[in-house]
Amino acid sequence: MTTDHSFSTDDYQHNAAWRAASRWQQRARQARPTRRMGGFKLALATLVGAITLVLATMMALVLSLVGLALMPLVRHRMKKRMEAYRADHADDITPGATTRAPGQDDARVWEGQYEVK
């Protein structure tokens, strides 16, 4: 009892999966670009991509350098702000500070402010 596994073309035409694969192949052949323009488009796309990459890198470098250059200015500004904040929120620790005559501001000592005479 031998079974013959050879199929005829009629068997393939009745197979739904085979027909679907054939349709996919036909669509793929139609979607293929022409050989003449394919290489040109690929080279153009590569060139545009490379130029974009270089420009983005240069822009990132410039913006990083600008940020680094501005850091000392921002630090100075924040330092001044913190000093003003501390001065506004400091507690007077001078003994008897609640009863003081005007003009005696030089004798006041604020928390965090020390002066050696």
Side-chain angles (χ1 to χ4, degrees), residues 20-91:
S22 295
R23 284 193 300 267
W24 291 340
Q25 284 178 345
Q26 288 172 357
R27 280 190 228 135
R29 281 190 201 111
Q30 290 172 357
R32 263 190 211 156
T34 60
R35 292 286 174 191
R36 287 178 283 154
M37 289 302 288
F40 177 72
K41 284 182 183 177
L42 180 64
L44 185 64
T46 304
L47 184 65
V48 167
I51 289 172
T52 304
L53 185 64
V54 168
L55 287 177
T57 304
M58 295 301 271
M59 217 159 122
L61 181 66
V62 167
L63 290 175
S64 296
L65 291 175
V66 167
L68 284 172
L70 291 177
M71 281 183 81
L73 299 174
V74 172
R75 184 178 180 274
H76 178 71
R77 190 179 204 183
M78 296 307 278
K79 192 175 177 183
K80 291 290 184 188
R81 250 192 199 168
M82 277 308 295
E83 288 175 2
Y85 178 81
R86 284 188 188 127
D88 290 343
H89 291 84
D91 294 330

Side-chain angles (χ1 to χ4, degrees), residues 9-20:
T9 55
D10 290 338
D11 294 334
Y12 287 122
Q13 289 174 352
H14 294 297
N15 187 340
W18 188 265
R19 286 193 310 254

Side-chain angles (χ1 to χ4, degrees), residues 93 108-117:
I93 59 171
R108 291 172 38 178
V109 178
W110 296 97
E111 181 183 354
Q113 175 187 3
Y114 302 98
E115 184 176 317
V116 179
K117 292 185 179 184

